[in-house]
Amino acid sequence: MPDAILDDISHRRYNPLRGSWILVSPHRTKRPWQGQQEDASETDLPAYDPACYLCPGNRRAGGDVNPDYENTFVFVNDYSAVKEDQAEYQPGNLDGGLSSRLLRAEAVTGKCYVVTFSPLHNLTLADLPLSNILTIVRKWTELYTAHLSPSSPLAAGAGATTIPPQSHAHSVSKPNAQYRYMQIFENKGAAMGCSNPHPHGQIWVTSSLPEEPSLELEQLQKYRRHQGGVHLLEDYATLESEKQERVVFENGAFLAVCPWWATWPFEVMIVSKAHRRALVDFDKGEASLLAEAIGEVTKRYDNLFETQFPYSMGIHQAPLEGTNLEIEASHFHIHFYPPLLRSATVRKFLVGYEMMAEPQRDITPEQAAAKLRGCGGQLYRKRL
């Protein structure tokens, strides 16, 4: 266990994945709460909602009609944040003056996909059986493969890099350019800004490498250089598996852990125990174990406060296109950032000191992991 004194005193913890620090204040868990409370997430949703833009057979906001899909369904977002075709932008005068130094901009192109997890309006990842989550993992892998650069070291073992013909499973076409990065993510719940309760995720593919994965990739490469070629997250998974202090769930290929440096109260990271760079590195057994880990984490979240637990989840893996050093330093992992703190209605806010100085948390990751470890078993909704 960490030094017992850290359970009672304020202290900082280092995040080697970002090269940053977080303030931990465990004594603040005793303070009374008279601030904002969220409405508990609605759990009594119908299996089909005729007004839902994502249900099978319904018309979306952009006018297209969804097919009667049976598993997952993928389509280009009707309101994409980035687009493949747009007016070309060239930076202005690069003469070294103040404007060229301080007022920088660059064009970003790409595609934004929506991935429904199920045709049923009321089934989240926590509700789905392993076979259905595995279907989602395979769809993520298929789309990652379709956008992967042929020159990437990953391409040799990734199979065909094409998107199959349009079908009930998806409504997408081959990208018209080679993009740099693919961000797979899910926002679950109104507290995380989700605009539609039908369980779904998103995939944004961009010509640039976004800020968060870029920071992590820099740290992963730095660790590998300084530690003789070993991998930061492989070492970290080994350490956490040995200590078991922050482990929430573990199987043969993956570790679900409340990281030593976690910012959010019940933050979890799923990390591959062996060095795996991206989805395409997993064999069939590992893909199934990944689906199991995702199901375990999301089910334990919902069981914790017996509610539809909100979170933002995102996969970090190797860029679609990059140098050999970037690809080889990458290590597949999934971040879960949930806002709930004390109950189904009390959430954490990143404000004040956390915006102006550095992140801060009250409950320790060790305490959070212990609570989540105790929430396994049957999903609470199935006992009602």
Side-chain angles (χ1 to χ4, degrees):
M1 291 292 290
D3 293 337
I5 193 173
L6 294 184
D7 285 336
D8 297 311
I9 67 166
S10 54
H11 61 280
R12 297 171 86 206
R13 297 191 181 193
Y14 180 65
N15 179 353
L17 199 52
R18 298 186 79 257
S20 59
W21 292 83
I22 176 172
L23 175 65
V24 184
S25 310
H27 55 282
R28 275 168 52 95
T29 57
K30 301 173 184 178
R31 67 181 178 133
W33 180 261
Q34 294 181 315
Q36 176 177 318
Q37 297 197 28
E38 305 292 321
D39 293 330
S41 299
E42 185 179 358
T43 58
D44 189 22
L45 293 173
Y48 170 75
D49 182 350
C52 172
Y53 294 136
L54 301 181
C55 280
N58 288 359
R59 188 176 297 278
R60 299 202 304 273
D64 291 338
V65 177
N66 297 328
D68 291 321
Y69 62 94
E70 298 177 353
N71 290 298
T72 59
F73 174 54
V74 182
F75 62 92
V76 176
N77 197 319
D78 297 318
Y79 299 98
S80 295
V82 291
K83 298 184 292 185
E84 288 200 286
D85 299 310
Q86 62 182 16
E88 187 173 345
Y89 170 75
Q90 293 293 339
N93 191 349
L94 301 178
D95 59 1
L98 287 179
S99 291
S100 63
R101 275 184 274 163
L102 303 177
L103 307 180
R104 297 174 58 187
E106 63 180 22
V108 179
T109 56
K111 298 186 78 168
C112 296
Y113 300 103
V114 175
V115 184
T116 63
F117 295 155
S118 167
L120 298 178
H121 187 74
N122 58 353
L123 294 187
T124 68
L125 288 175
D127 297 285
L128 292 176
L130 187 149
S131 59
N132 290 65
I133 301 176
L134 181 56
T135 298
I136 296 166
V137 171
R138 288 171 175 161
K139 183 59 62 178
W140 290 337
T141 306
E142 180 182 289
L143 287 166
Y144 181 89
T145 302
H147 291 78
L148 186 60
S149 171
S151 64
S152 169
L154 291 164
T161 55
T162 58
I163 295 176
Q166 290 191 10
S167 68
H168 283 190
H170 61 255
S171 178
V172 298
S173 58
K174 184 178 176 63
N176 67 8
Q178 179 56 61
Y179 294 112
R180 177 87 158 101
Y181 194 77
M182 172 178 286
Q183 181 59 62
I184 300 170
F185 66 98
E186 178 199 6
N187 294 324
K188 180 188 176 187
M192 299 309 291
C194 183
S195 61
N196 189 317
H198 190 119
H200 69 284
Q202 297 186 58
I203 299 177
W204 291 14
V205 188
T206 55
S207 55
S208 59
L209 182 63
E211 192 76 7
E212 285 300 313
S214 177
L215 283 172
E216 291 189 355
L217 187 53
E218 182 179 342
Q219 290 298 112
L220 292 171
Q221 291 183 91
K222 181 179 178 181
Y223 187 91
R224 192 172 179 228
R225 285 196 306 270
H226 292 176
Q227 302 300 328
V230 298
H231 297 279
L232 188 159
L233 286 179
E234 189 174 22
D235 280 356
Y236 182 65
T238 299
L239 179 65
E240 290 288 20
S241 185
E242 290 172 353
K243 290 182 172 294
Q244 290 291 310
E245 298 160 356
R246 288 164 291 277
V247 174
V248 174
F249 172 79
E250 182 175 3
N251 60 26
F254 293 92
L255 195 72
V257 59
C258 293
W260 168 262
W261 54 79
T263 295
W264 296 94
F266 293 96
E267 179 178 330
V268 166
M269 179 172 66
I270 295 176
V271 59
S272 58
K273 293 159 76 170
H275 179 232
R276 298 291 183 265
R277 301 160 295 179
L279 284 161
V280 295
D281 275 342
F282 299 132
D283 60 28
K284 292 181 180 179
E286 290 170 324
S288 182
L289 290 173
L290 174 59
E292 180 188 33
I294 292 170
E296 283 288 337
V297 170
T298 54
K299 181 169 59 179
R300 289 165 192 266
Y301 274 162
D302 282 13
N303 284 348
L304 180 62
F305 297 136
E306 296 194 344
T307 189
Q308 293 272 14
F309 205 85
Y311 58 75
S312 279
M313 173 272 283
I315 294 175
H316 284 171
Q317 58 186 327
L320 297 169
E321 184 174 55
T323 67
N324 286 1
L325 289 176
E326 287 178 332
I327 303 301
E328 293 307 313
S330 298
H331 191 115
F332 180 94
H333 59 286
I334 304 178
H335 293 291
F336 285 84
Y337 297 150
L340 296 185
L341 174 59
R342 303 183 181 201
S343 69
T345 60
V346 176
R347 64 168 294 173
K348 174 182 176 61
F349 293 90
L350 289 178
V351 295
Y353 185 89
E354 292 150 310
M355 293 180 71
M356 306 301 171
E358 68 185 10
Q360 180 272 338
R361 66 177 290 128
D362 296 345
I363 181 175
T364 67
E366 294 77 28
Q367 294 166 337
K371 289 178 182 291
L372 289 172
R373 276 197 301 270
C375 292
Q378 187 179 36
L379 184 64
Y380 82 94
R381 288 189 287 280
K382 297 182 178 179
R383 301 193 301 266
L384 300 179

